[in-house]
Amino acid sequence: MRIILLSLLIVCTLPVCAQVSIGVTGGYSHATINVSNRTPSPPTDILSPPIPESRYVPKWHAGLMADIHLVKRFYLQPQVLISKKGVKMEGSRSQGILYHENFFKADLTYLEVPVNLLYKVPAGKGKLAVGAGVYCARGLSGKYDERGITVATDGSFRSGHAMTGDIRFEKEAPAQPTGYQVYKKYDRGLNFIAGYEFKNGLLFNVNYSLGLTDVYTYEPETRKNRYFGISAGYQFRLLRR
């Protein structure tokens, strides 16, 4: 929330000579969640689930952007996006005569505000742009799908589970088990961006979003959002003050 307020303050206090372009942007996100354990230890329980491997899933992002000329070749570029994030996790393990397999998928929707500082260099019929910045995101909604199975290779034992439900964004996990999962309300991190802007207003960007906040409420696991993005946009309005 502080990042959102700071970005608004910067925009409102720009010099009156600032040049501002307003536009739209959207594109593809190659998203995952980095999963780690605060107290890693090898599993000892023969019925414990396998350690999952995080994989990327296709998502999208879209919203509004502003391009604000600060000084010389430096620009400030805040955006307000609906950003889909998530992950697919799969894991399997053999232990004695037992074989474990687990699958988890999460789909998360955020209202995200990236604020990037760009350096632009004239090139051909437009400008090359590179930069970096920060983002703050507020969780809006989510879904999860979790399935697992444990079987004995000699056919003497079989156990499985399957759960689907909502993901809610709250401060902490509930004291008692529920049919939904809880993630933290806010996600914060860094952006790295590069792209090309044509003189007619059309632009193309690639970016990497590196989440720094643990968005998971359940101990001892930590989960941090990541995604590679490819986007196109159009700056359709130019304001000079």
Side-chain angles (χ1 to χ4, degrees):
M1 185 58 69
R2 292 190 185 97
I3 296 175
I4 296 175
L5 294 176
L6 178 60
S7 64
L8 292 175
L9 179 62
I10 292 173
V11 173
C12 293
T13 56
L14 286 172
V16 294
C17 60
Q19 178 177 300
V20 183
S21 297
I22 307 297
V24 293
T25 185
Y28 170 81
S29 300
H30 199 50
T32 191
I33 295 177
N34 182 55
V35 180
S36 60
N37 199 313
R38 293 189 180 93
T39 56
S41 59
T44 56
D45 184 354
I46 62 172
L47 296 181
S48 62
I51 300 172
E53 178 183 350
S54 297
R55 300 188 178 181
Y56 284 87
V57 290
K59 298 294 178 183
W60 58 268
H61 58 275
L64 302 175
M65 59 173 289
D67 193 67
I68 304 159
H69 185 205
L70 298 178
V71 60
K72 295 184 178 179
R73 295 179 176 178
F74 289 95
Y75 292 75
L76 189 71
Q77 194 175 89
Q79 301 177 358
V80 179
L81 305 174
I82 296 297
S83 183
K84 300 286 288 186
K85 303 182 182 184
V87 68
K88 181 169 67 173
M89 302 181 198
E90 296 178 353
S92 61
R93 186 180 79 251
S94 295
Q95 195 167 33
I97 65 168
L98 294 179
Y99 174 76
H100 312 271
E101 191 172 88
N102 201 55
F103 169 86
F104 176 83
K105 187 176 181 180
D107 180 73
L108 308 170
T109 303
Y110 286 89
L111 175 65
E112 184 172 317
V113 180
V115 181
N116 296 311
L117 180 64
L118 300 181
Y119 182 77
K120 301 184 182 182
V121 181
K125 297 182 179 181
K127 296 178 181 178
L128 286 172
V130 294
V134 296
Y135 77 85
C136 181
R138 171 64 161 89
L140 300 178
S141 64
K143 296 281 186 181
Y144 77 92
D145 179 10
E146 184 175 354
R147 288 174 274 132
I149 187 171
T150 300
V151 298
T153 55
D154 62 1
S156 61
F157 178 83
R158 182 182 182 93
S159 176
H161 72 275
M163 294 181 291
T164 59
D166 293 332
I167 293 175
R168 300 185 185 181
F169 294 90
E170 300 175 0
K171 238 181 175 182
E172 57 187 22
Q176 301 296 327
T178 66
Y180 59 88
Q181 291 191 355
V182 176
Y183 280 55
K184 295 177 183 177
K185 289 183 179 181
Y186 295 102
D187 178 25
R188 301 175 182 87
L190 302 177
N191 292 312
F192 303 92
I193 187 170
Y196 189 82
E197 303 176 3
F198 292 92
K199 292 180 180 179
N200 62 4
L202 187 65
L203 58 91
F204 297 92
N205 290 321
V206 293
N207 76 289
Y208 178 63
S209 177
L210 176 66
L212 300 179
T213 302
D214 174 20
V215 298
Y216 202 51
T217 60
Y218 302 94
E219 297 286 348
E221 195 172 277
T222 66
R223 297 186 181 185
K224 297 179 181 180
N225 285 308
R226 305 276 195 273
Y227 75 80
F228 293 95
I230 302 174
S231 58
Y234 186 76
Q235 298 176 8
F236 60 86
R237 187 178 180 189
L238 184 66
L239 301 177
R240 292 180 183 272
R241 297 182 178 179

